[in-house]
Amino acid sequence: MFCAIALTVSGVSTPLASWSSASATGITAQTITFAPIPDKTMLDSAFTVMATSSSGLGVTFKSITAAVCSTSGINHQIVAPEAPGVCTIEADQAGNDTYAAATQQISFNVVKAPQTITFAPLPDVALSIGFVFVTASASSFRAVTFTTTTATVCTAGNDGEIDLHSAGTCTVHADQAGTDLVGPAPTVSRSFGVGRSEQAITFNSITDHPVSDSPVMLTASATSLLPVTFSVPNTTTVCSVTGATVTLTTAGSCSVQADQIGNDSYSAAPSITRTFTVTQESQTITFAVLPGKNVTDPPFSVSAAASSLLLVVFTTTTRTVCTASGTTITILVAGTCTVEADQPGNATFGPADAAFQSFVVSKIDQTITFAALAGRSLAQSPVTLTATASSALPVTFTSQLPAVCTVSGATVTLVAVGTCTIQADQAGNDRYNASPPLQQPFTVTAAPKTDQTITFAALADVAVNGTLTAVATASSGLTVTFSSTTPTACTATGANGSTITRLTAGACTIQADQAGDATRNPAPPVLQTLGVAKTNQTITFAPLPNLTINHAPVTVVASSTSLLPVSFTTTTPAVCTASGTNGATITIVAAGTCTVRADQMGGVTVNAAA
């Protein structure tokens, strides 16, 4: 005997049991194979069930769950749903002389048919219409019922009537409960707004008013005929509202807002704000002309009157010339002093136009005291000058004959024989006028000349075509000049001949001179000589052939353009060594690359070769 158990999973039918038997006389067992059966609904039509036997013999069918499904037709292979549940069909093959009988079952679900509801979105409505009708349809074509979940706003009547009770959101549920053949439809909900009627406010513009017009009456109306209220929307000291009356307190901008908050039938009206200006009374300032002053005058008082009788305040617009503190004006420097009179106003009076009065602050005169100057010789240079100004400001000096004498600060330098005239000046400042200039002449006479010497630093050697700068100083401080006494070996050019250029390798001699001036004799010349310049050289060293490790020592040869002997070393002593005269004998020590270096260290007139 063979037995198998199967279950229906996810709506796909599978065999529940299959068995066959064979006797000991050699009858062959057989099996039955069912074609899968999907789940069915109560609205599905009858269908043909399919199964085959491994023996190829015909199969018959029967319902094990007749209350859920029935079989009919040839071999009862027509299956029809009868009620929701699990339908089990059994397939049988009775066997014959060769094959044993076989049986197998298959199960599937029979369920109610699904349905859906189509319920369109609902528009918002006004409470004043009282009720609305809603419609919806079910895919089963059966009647849809309506309920509401917002009973304070709306309730459902008969035949889709939705009665409106108050403003808010109305939510309607559409349902279809189903039948024996069709399952209940999923509930579909729709919400819509129930709104109050709109209203608007008429509030005319408010003209500007002076503070003295207080109080001002307001008028506004609502289309709902409900009363309008007034308020000042922002904190202000300009105005206030009580009922429909605006009280004006001070000048500025006054805004009044009109509102109607609505009721059960009307929504609140959009607020309307009207703004107007609360103006002040004008005023003027009387400010008398101010007389001129001297820079040394003490502080003085000013006065002005406002037509409002309010206090006038003073400032100056020329604060570098004069300042104001209260009604007191203080003079700082000469110039034009401008005083500004202002009255900023108050709650009743607007600010007055500023009044200005200007006056001239004059500088004071000053004089210079400059004593006569005694004659001097050139040897007495420099001379120190002294002069004073009555203002105590510093005096400046200039030379009227710079070819005879020059001035730096209060020091006169005597340049040549003649008459030196010095002018003393004081240019003044913001309090004093410039003083009249005062001149003092004096005679400059000749004096015996003095000697001077030159200090000439040694010159460094320089290569042919190279340059260097000669440096020397005179004890007089006068400029030293340079020249070459060996022009074929070197030249002296540039500023004062201080640029020395080497032309050949021969000795170069440079002479330093100072020619003197009106008070100094020429300095004795000083000579400096450059040494003989060294020349460059190069080495000629032919390539070396490769050798075997057992090769006898070899002698290498190289020459220098200076004809001085060349010396040899190796930079690879592990492979080869250098010995003998000037290291010219190279001995092979081991296999590898042998590198030989040739050098010529130079001499007195020749630089070392590369």
Side-chain angles (χ1 to χ4, degrees):
M1 175 67 71
F2 168 78
C3 179
I5 300 299
L7 297 176
T8 299
V9 180
S10 300
V12 178
S13 59
T14 55
L16 290 178
S18 176
W19 63 86
S20 65
S21 62
S23 68
T25 58
I27 293 177
T28 302
Q30 63 174 323
T31 59
I32 296 174
T33 302
F34 256 118
I37 303 174
D39 290 346
K40 302 293 182 177
T41 72
M42 290 298 296
L43 296 181
D44 286 341
S45 302
F47 62 94
T48 300
V49 66
M50 301 295 293
T52 58
S53 66
S54 60
S55 65
L57 299 175
V59 177
T60 61
F61 304 91
K62 64 180 178 182
S63 172
I64 304 302
T65 53
V68 176
C69 54
S70 61
T71 57
S72 61
I74 299 173
N75 296 328
H76 291 274
Q77 66 183 126
I78 304 301
V79 178
E82 300 296 339
V86 177
C87 171
T88 300
I89 303 298
E90 181 177 292
D92 294 291
Q93 213 301 305
N96 57 17
D97 293 341
T98 303
Y99 290 94
T103 297
Q104 179 152 315
Q105 294 180 352
I106 191 170
S107 295
F108 61 92
N109 294 321
V110 178
V111 297
K112 291 184 179 183
Q115 64 170 327
T116 59
I117 294 174
T118 300
F119 189 8
L122 303 175
D124 294 343
V125 298
L127 176 63
S128 57
I129 67 173
F131 61 89
V132 295
F133 283 99
V134 296
T135 59
S137 60
S139 59
S140 65
F141 301 104
R142 299 185 178 277
V144 175
T145 60
F146 300 96
T147 57
T148 69
T149 59
T150 51
T152 59
V153 177
C154 57
T155 55
N158 297 324
D159 301 324
E161 178 182 320
I162 305 299
D163 296 318
L164 307 178
H165 303 299
S166 65
T169 298
C170 175
T171 300
V172 181
H173 284 184
D175 293 284
Q176 213 302 306
T179 65
D180 291 342
L181 301 179
V182 180
T187 298
V188 178
S189 298
R190 293 287 182 248
S191 296
F192 62 93
V194 179
R196 292 176 290 180
S197 298
E198 301 296 328
Q199 62 171 327
I201 294 174
T202 300
F203 187 12
N204 294 330
S205 298
I206 306 172
T207 59
D208 294 343
H209 290 274
V211 177
S212 57
D213 278 358
S214 183
V216 175
M217 300 304 296
L218 302 172
T219 302
S221 62
T223 55
S224 64
L225 303 182
L226 296 172
V228 175
T229 60
F230 301 97
S231 62
V232 175
N234 301 312
T235 301
T236 180
T237 60
V238 175
C239 58
S240 59
V241 173
T242 302
T245 301
V246 180
T247 300
L248 309 180
T249 306
T250 185
S253 178
C254 176
S255 295
V256 179
Q257 179 174 304
D259 292 282
Q260 212 307 302
I261 61 173
N263 57 15
D264 290 343
S265 299
Y266 287 93
S267 298
S271 298
I272 296 181
T273 300
R274 298 299 184 205
T275 300
F276 65 97
T277 300
V278 181
T279 60
Q280 297 168 306
E281 302 291 342
S282 62
Q283 60 172 325
T284 59
I285 294 175
T286 301
F287 190 8
V289 175
L290 299 176
K293 299 286 183 180
N294 287 325
V295 71
T296 56
D297 286 346
F300 62 96
S301 295
V302 293
S303 63
S307 59
S308 63
L309 302 181
L310 297 174
L311 182 66
V312 176
V313 295
F314 300 94
T315 56
T316 66
T317 61
T318 52
R319 295 178 185 174
T320 59
V321 176
C322 54
T323 60
S325 176
T327 61
T328 300
I329 306 300
T330 301
I331 294 171
L332 303 178
V333 297
T336 298
C337 173
T338 299
V339 181
E340 179 179 339
D342 293 282
Q343 212 307 302
N346 60 10
T348 303
F349 289 92
D353 290 337
F356 298 89
Q357 290 295 343
S358 297
F359 61 93
V360 174
V361 179
S362 301
K363 296 182 182 181
I364 57 176
D365 293 332
Q366 62 171 327
T367 58
I368 294 176
T369 300
F370 187 14
L373 301 174
R376 300 283 196 278
S377 70
L378 290 173
Q380 292 176 296
S381 181
V383 178
T384 301
L385 302 172
T386 302
T388 59
S390 59
S391 63
L393 296 173
V395 176
T396 59
F397 302 96
T398 55
S399 171
Q400 304 303 297
L401 295 167
V404 176
C405 57
T406 60
V407 174
S408 176
T411 300
V412 179
T413 299
L414 306 180
V415 178
V417 173
T419 298
C420 173
T421 300
I422 304 298
Q423 178 171 306
D425 292 278
Q426 212 306 303
N429 60 9
D430 49 12
R431 294 176 63 84
Y432 288 90
N433 291 314
S435 68
L438 183 59
Q439 294 183 352
Q440 292 291 357
F442 66 95
T443 301
V444 180
T445 59
K449 291 186 178 182
T450 59
D451 292 333
Q452 61 173 328
T453 59
I454 295 173
T455 300
F456 189 5
L459 300 175
D461 287 344
V462 66
V464 174
N465 296 323
T467 62
L468 60 85
T469 300
V471 179
T473 58
S475 60
S476 63
L478 298 175
T479 302
V480 175
T481 60
F482 303 91
S483 60
S484 172
T485 63
T486 55
T488 59
C490 57
T491 60
T493 59
N496 303 316
S498 61
T499 300
I500 310 303
T501 302
R502 165 81 80 171
L503 301 179
T504 67
C508 167
T509 301
I510 302 298
Q511 179 172 312
D513 292 282
Q514 211 306 303
D517 60 10
T519 62
R520 295 170 182 84
N521 293 311
V526 178
L527 300 176
Q528 290 288 356
T529 300
L530 280 73
V532 176
K534 290 185 179 183
T535 59
N536 292 326
Q537 63 171 328
T538 58
I539 294 174
T540 301
F541 189 10
L544 301 176
N546 292 333
L547 301 175
T548 61
I549 192 171
N550 56 358
H551 197 285
V554 296
T555 300
V556 293
V557 178
S559 62
S560 68
T561 55
S562 66
L563 303 180
L564 295 173
V566 177
S567 61
F568 302 92
T569 56
T570 72
T571 61
T572 54
V575 178
C576 56
T577 60
S579 61
T581 303
N582 296 325
T585 300
I586 305 302
T587 301
I588 306 302
V589 177
T593 297
C594 174
T595 301
V596 180
R597 173 172 171 161
D599 290 283
Q600 210 306 301
M601 302 308 292
V604 176
T605 62
V606 181
N607 289 317

